[in-house]
């Protein structure tokens, strides 16, 4: 039995000729019309009755009373309003999303690879070719879910409803708006073929990176037209519209890949591919094209970070179509300094296989992110990644948390001494852990400030174990490290040497907590969001923050990290950690294999974290924190603090200043006995106590840790 007049291909939606057994668009054999007859079951009568009321009685009434827009302009209806992102002054435009910078190429449906059509329908609306605009079962399930969880999610929308929502309706999530959407979806289905609806959808949907429509997406990510997309590429692209900024393949490749698995599973359920094919397609490695930088986006790493937050909070629709005005925390002067310093210093180290760097600067008093250089430039290897928010090993910069925990615990004091000598730690599994110092030497008894300042590894492990790894993890979390999510028992002694990955922005948050005398404020990038009608959607209130540490503990850490004498033995005097005319606390970090190095530091008004390395994890050639990241830190701080008066902390109440073997130590109440019990043997101290306050430095060794 052949097709009847007015039939459409169930695969691609192409209108078929009467009595045709094959689709001239996609070539598929067309099943007899009898196969598409509805079978009426008793349980379908109630939904059918409700549907009849919805589709027959209400449309006419609501069209008259509500004045719904005409659906006669499917191909020319309005485009999204532009969202503008500004610096903290509201005068410097950082990016415009997406008007004027979007990539949009309209193509006919037959110019889209059949695999792309199949993948999109499978994951977005599997019954697209069978329903008349609404999927009542799916909508009912979504509505029930909304009622149970007291939210309005719109998870049951068909492709037709999504198209209606994007073209004709506002972004509010009311019941009446949802009803308008249903009415218009049915009207669209009456006026246009499935092929026309799918074509309009594929030409309008947003795939991220300023790419609207499947043709722009294919060019952006794979450098080819949509007609040439392979099945693996199509299944990858079809998953992006769910959250195009959050699933950006250039910054979140693992998230985009996991979404591809969801698409492939949907295609298996739709009988488009087999389970074996899905497994093979998921295993294929896709060659993404390097993103274009043709637009004039300022501070691209920061802008992308902001856009991802907007999408997560307000949804893709409002970000794309809402015409928002976003005033960020970015200080354009500091951002310019950061970008220049990172690029210049990284370029100077190219001969030692250094290709990238990043910097984050935070205002400790508010948590505002003042600068974020995510890379050394779009043209460097890995320049498309935002290394300011990408977890990497921080090396010895993590000791900032270890020593803070040690002081807070009262088990160690600023007046304590630690023996730097060979150490073997017996592990629970029977193995042993033997830490080594960066310079391969042992340095005898060291006062705690010198052990920290010179970044000796063995004393740091002893302090960590004496304090308790669980307490170190707790303090790091309180100070802003959000990646330590395992149970505390899972962390090994290598934690204090930076053995676990931490994003640079979390390191900046930790420094900011110390700078704010123990008050933690989550790094904040958005100050104000204004809707297109002028209403304020959001305004940042820094509030009082969260007390993470006492001012006394914070002051002791600031004092130890700012004293150049404490690091003279390894780094020499007046290294790049010293900013002339200003008190500045600083700590370097270098991984054992030279894959990452950091410098983290602060003043009362500015906290900064710098990373240098290679995005692909290849090692640098003997570039430590004092050689790689410290020059960027020095250059940025020097310019940022230029013309500003020096400022530092007054000694908070409750601390006792005590002379301990040649240097002044600030002690927490009740820890005097601990300090006295952790002194070096007298005969050792008479000969050499590790350099005392004066140290044995005086020359710039440029070692580091």
């Amino acid at each position: 039995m052949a097709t009847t007049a007015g039939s459409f291909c169930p695969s691609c939606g192409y209108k078929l000729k009467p009595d045709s057994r094959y689709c001239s668009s996609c070539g598929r054999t067309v099943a007899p019309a009898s196969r598409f007859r509805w079978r009426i079951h008793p349980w379908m009568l109630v939904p059918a009755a409700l549907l009849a009321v919805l589709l027959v009685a209400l449309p006419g009434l609501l069209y008259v009373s509500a004045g719904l827009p005409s659906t006669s302009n499917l191909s020319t209806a309005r485009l999204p309003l532009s969202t503008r992102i500004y610096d903290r002054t509201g005068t410097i435009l950082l990016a415009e999303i997406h008007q004027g910078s979007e990539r949009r190429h309209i193509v006919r449906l037959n110019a889209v690879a059949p695999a792309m059509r199949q993948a999109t329908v499978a994951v977005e609306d599997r019954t697209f070719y069978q329903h008349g605009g609404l999927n009542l079962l799916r909508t009912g399930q979504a509505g029930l879910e909304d009622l149970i969880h007291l939210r309005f999610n719109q998870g049951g929308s068909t492709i037709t409803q999504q198209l209606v929502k994007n073209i004709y309706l506002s972004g509010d999530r009311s019941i009446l708006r949802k009803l308008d959407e249903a009415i218009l979806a049915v009207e669209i289905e009456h006026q246009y073929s499935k092929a026309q609806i799918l074509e309009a959808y594929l030409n309008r949907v947003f795939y991220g990176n300023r790419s609207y429509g499947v043709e722009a997406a294919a060019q952006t990510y794979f450098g080819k037209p949509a007609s040439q997309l392979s099945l693996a590429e199509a299944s990858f692209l079809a998953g992006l519209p769910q959250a195009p900024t959050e699933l950006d393949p250039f910054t979140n490749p693992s998230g985009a890949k996991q979404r591809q698995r969801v698409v492939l599973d949907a295609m298996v359920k739709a009988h488009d591919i087999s389970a074996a094919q899905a497994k093979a397609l998921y295993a294929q490695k896709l060659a993404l094209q390097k993103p274009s930088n043709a637009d004039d986006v300022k501070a691209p790493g920061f802008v992308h970070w902001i856009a991802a937050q907007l999408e997560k909070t307000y949804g893709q629709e409002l970000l794309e179509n809402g015409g928002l005005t976003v005033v960020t925390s970015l200080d354009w002067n500091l951002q310019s300094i950061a970008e220049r310093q990172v690029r210049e210093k990284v370029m100077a180290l190219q001969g030692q296989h250094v290709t990238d760097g990043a910097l984050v600067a935070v205002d400790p008093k508010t948590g505002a992110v003042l600068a974020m250089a995510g890379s050394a430039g779009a043209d460097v290897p890995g320049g498309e990644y935002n290394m300011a928010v990408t977890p990497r090993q921080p090396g010895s910069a993590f000791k900032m948390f270890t020593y803070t925990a040690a002081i807070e615990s009262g088990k160690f004091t600023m007046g304590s001494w630690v023996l730097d000598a060979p150490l073997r730690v017996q592990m629970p599994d029977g193995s042993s852990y033997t830490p080594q110092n960066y310079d391969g030497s042992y340095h005898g008894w060291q006062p705690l400030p010198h052990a920290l300042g010179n970044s000796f590894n063995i004393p740091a492990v002893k302090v960590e174990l004496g304090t308790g790894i669980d307490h170190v993890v707790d303090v790091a979390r309180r100070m802003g490290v959000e990646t330590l999510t395992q149970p505390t028992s899972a962390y090994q002694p290598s934690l204090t040497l930076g053995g676990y990955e931490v994003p640079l922005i979390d390191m900046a948050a930790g420094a900011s907590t110390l700078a704010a005398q123990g008050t933690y404020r989550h790094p904040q990038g958005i100050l104000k969001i204004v809707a297109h009608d002028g209403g304020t959607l959001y305004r940042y209130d820094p509030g009082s923050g969260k007390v993470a540490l006492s001012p006394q503990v914070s002051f002791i850490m600031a004092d130890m990290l700012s004293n150049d004498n404490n690091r003279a033995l390894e780094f020499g005097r007046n290294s790049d950690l010293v900013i002339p005319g200003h008190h500045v606390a600083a700590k370097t970090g270098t991984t054992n294999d030279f894959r990452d190095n950091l410098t983290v530091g602060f003043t009362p008004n500015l906290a900064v974290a710098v990373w240098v390395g290679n995005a692909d994890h290849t090692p640098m050639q003997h570039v430590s924190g004092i050689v790689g990241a410290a020059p960027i830190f020095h250059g940025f701080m020097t310019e940022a603090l230029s013309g500003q008066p020096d400022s530092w902390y007054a000694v908070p109440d409750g601390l006792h200043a005590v002379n301990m073997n040649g240097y002044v130590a600030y002690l927490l109440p009740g820890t005097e006995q601990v300090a006295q019990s952790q002194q070096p043997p007298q005969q050792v101290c008479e000969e050499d106590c590790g350099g005392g306050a004066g140290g044995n430095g005086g020359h710039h060794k440029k070692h580091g840790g």
Side-chain angles (χ1 to χ4, degrees):
M1 184 176 180
T3 57
T4 58
S7 297
F8 297 96
C9 174
S11 176
C12 68
Y14 186 78
K15 188 172 184 179
L16 303 172
K17 296 179 180 179
D19 300 325
S20 173
R21 295 182 180 274
Y22 302 95
C23 175
S24 58
S25 174
C26 66
R28 273 202 173 188
T29 302
V30 180
S34 60
R35 294 187 184 180
F36 298 98
R37 290 175 182 166
W38 289 94
R39 295 180 179 180
I40 305 299
H41 295 279
W43 58 267
M44 295 179 63
L45 294 178
V46 173
L50 293 175
L51 180 62
V53 174
L54 178 67
L55 302 185
V56 178
L58 289 180
L61 294 174
L62 292 178
Y63 258 105
V64 173
S65 61
L68 293 178
S70 169
T71 58
S72 62
N73 58 343
L74 186 65
S75 61
T76 59
R78 66 174 174 86
L79 295 177
L81 295 174
S82 172
T83 290
R84 293 176 173 85
I85 300 178
Y86 292 90
D87 74 329
R88 68 188 299 109
T89 68
T91 59
I92 297 178
L93 181 64
L94 303 178
E96 190 169 356
I97 306 174
H98 301 276
Q99 186 178 349
S101 62
E102 67 191 53
R103 288 192 290 268
R104 185 192 297 274
H105 306 286
I106 304 299
V107 294
R108 299 298 300 271
L109 189 61
N110 59 13
V112 179
M116 187 66 198
R117 296 179 237 162
Q118 289 179 331
T120 299
V121 170
V123 75
E124 294 292 341
D125 186 1
R126 185 148 54 97
T127 62
F128 173 68
Y129 291 108
Q130 283 76 49
H131 63 63
L134 305 176
N135 184 332
L136 292 184
L137 179 60
R138 186 177 175 190
T139 302
Q141 291 172 338
L144 181 61
E145 184 80 6
D146 293 344
L147 287 174
I148 292 173
H149 296 285
L150 299 178
R151 66 177 183 233
F152 199 74
N153 220 349
Q154 300 181 338
S157 297
T158 65
I159 282 178
T160 313
Q161 287 175 278
Q162 292 179 50
L163 185 62
V164 164
K165 179 176 59 179
N166 290 337
I167 296 178
Y168 300 111
L169 300 176
S170 65
D172 71 280
R173 297 185 173 187
S174 66
I175 296 296
L176 288 178
R177 211 282 300 152
K178 192 68 176 176
L179 188 58
D180 291 345
E181 175 185 298
I183 294 169
L184 290 173
V186 173
E187 182 66 17
I188 287 287
E189 291 277 351
H190 285 156
Q191 286 187 280
Y192 302 95
S193 70
K194 291 290 188 180
Q196 290 174 308
I197 294 170
L198 184 59
E199 177 180 294
Y201 176 84
L202 288 171
N203 278 318
R204 282 183 172 273
V205 68
F206 180 51
Y207 292 88
N209 285 284
R210 308 179 320 280
S211 299
Y212 284 84
V214 64
E215 180 72 9
Q219 294 287 355
T220 296
Y221 296 112
F222 298 113
K224 61 173 62 175
S227 60
Q228 297 178 14
L229 288 170
S230 69
L231 188 49
E233 293 166 342
S235 62
F236 186 86
L237 287 186
L240 300 183
Q242 185 198 49
T245 306
E246 185 178 350
L247 297 176
D248 186 340
F250 298 129
T251 59
N252 186 13
S254 61
K257 191 67 177 173
Q258 287 301 316
R259 177 62 179 164
Q260 183 193 23
R261 184 191 294 275
V262 174
V263 176
L264 291 170
D265 289 344
M267 295 183 75
V268 172
K269 291 179 181 178
H271 306 294
D272 293 321
I273 58 175
S274 67
Q277 283 179 294
K279 184 177 180 180
L281 290 166
Y282 184 77
Q284 284 188 27
K285 187 174 182 179
L286 300 176
L288 290 176
Q289 179 168 274
K290 191 172 183 179
S292 168
N293 291 283
D295 59 341
D296 186 26
V297 175
K298 296 179 173 67
F302 177 79
V303 166
H304 186 276
W305 181 61
I306 293 297
Q309 293 177 51
L310 292 170
E311 180 181 80
K312 185 175 182 179
T313 303
Y314 296 100
Q316 172 192 339
E317 180 182 343
L318 193 59
L319 175 62
E320 296 172 21
N321 305 341
L324 303 177
T325 298
V326 182
V327 178
T328 71
S329 60
L330 196 79
D331 184 307
W332 182 244
N333 177 54
L334 294 181
Q335 178 69 19
S336 301
I337 296 171
E339 291 180 356
R340 184 176 67 255
Q341 287 292 334
V342 169
R343 185 166 181 84
E344 287 179 358
K345 301 303 192 296
V346 166
M347 294 298 107
L349 292 171
Q350 281 185 308
Q352 292 170 269
H353 190 51
V354 177
T355 61
D356 208 358
L359 183 150
V360 178
V362 176
D363 179 354
K365 292 181 171 59
T366 64
V369 175
L370 301 176
M372 178 185 285
S375 73
D379 58 342
V380 305
E384 67 269 25
Y385 302 111
N386 185 357
M387 301 308 296
V389 298
T390 302
R392 300 288 289 233
Q393 289 191 354
S396 291
F398 194 88
K399 293 171 186 173
M400 171 177 67
F401 304 110
T402 300
Y403 282 81
T404 300
I407 296 296
E408 182 186 69
S409 71
K411 295 178 180 179
F412 292 88
T413 73
M414 189 176 171
S416 300
W417 289 60
V418 185
L419 179 60
D420 182 13
L423 174 67
R424 174 173 292 183
V425 181
Q426 195 69 28
M427 304 299 291
D429 62 0
S431 63
S432 61
Y433 174 63
T434 307
Q436 301 292 325
N437 287 324
Y438 180 85
D439 61 4
S441 302
Y442 305 104
H443 308 89
W445 285 96
Q446 293 291 323
L448 200 78
H450 285 211
L452 171 62
N454 291 302
S455 201
F456 295 140
N457 290 340
I458 294 172
V461 173
K462 287 185 175 181
V463 169
E464 174 192 43
L465 296 176
T467 302
I469 294 178
D470 57 341
H471 190 58
V472 174
V473 172
D474 176 57
V475 166
R477 288 170 176 168
R478 278 189 266 141
M479 293 174 66
V481 178
E482 298 182 342
T483 51
L484 300 180
T485 57
Q486 301 179 55
T488 54
S489 59
Y491 294 99
Q492 303 296 319
S494 61
L495 173 70
T496 190
L497 307 184
Y500 296 84
E501 293 185 338
V502 177
L504 190 67
I505 193 168
D506 286 9
M507 298 299 294
S512 178
T513 300
L514 291 175
Q517 296 182 290
T519 299
Y520 167 73
R521 291 181 175 87
H522 192 277
Q524 176 68 29
I526 301 174
L527 300 183
K528 185 172 67 172
I529 303 174
V530 179
H532 70 89
D533 60 1
T536 299
L537 298 179
Y538 171 81
R539 188 184 299 274
Y540 177 57
D541 179 8
S544 57
K546 183 186 297 184
V547 176
L549 307 166
S550 71
Q552 291 79 11
V553 170
S554 302
F555 175 83
I556 291 172
M557 287 301 298
D559 188 78
M560 290 195 295
L561 290 171
S562 63
N563 191 334
D564 196 38
N565 290 333
N566 293 339
R567 49 183 175 246
L569 186 61
E570 284 296 299
F571 300 104
R573 303 226 186 249
N574 296 315
S575 69
D576 280 332
L577 302 181
V578 176
I579 310 300
H582 294 274
H583 282 78
V584 176
K587 180 73 188 76
T588 62
T590 307
T591 56
N592 289 335
D593 49 14
F594 296 104
R595 296 181 193 275
D596 302 276
N597 68 63
L598 284 79
T599 295
V600 182
F602 59 89
T603 71
N605 302 307
L606 187 63
V608 177
V610 180
W611 169 85
V612 165
N614 299 303
D616 63 359
H617 290 275
T618 54
M620 299 169 283
Q621 295 177 5
H622 303 287
V623 178
S624 65
I626 196 66
V627 176
I632 298 174
F633 176 83
H634 181 88
F636 178 83
M637 280 295 204
T638 299
E639 288 195 62
L641 299 177
S642 177
Q644 296 185 21
D646 185 28
S647 63
W648 199 241
Y649 309 95
V651 181
D653 293 338
L655 289 181
H656 305 295
V658 181
N659 191 302
M660 305 293 292
N661 281 318
Y663 71 97
V664 175
Y666 293 97
L667 305 182
L668 295 175
T671 62
E672 294 85 353
Q673 188 173 353
V674 174
Q676 289 295 339
S677 67
Q678 294 174 342
Q679 296 302 296
Q682 190 62 36
Q683 65 272 20
V684 174
C685 202
E686 289 174 355
E687 298 175 8
D688 179 18
C689 283
N696 291 325
H699 58 286
H700 194 166
K701 294 185 178 182
K702 282 202 173 183
H703 287 167

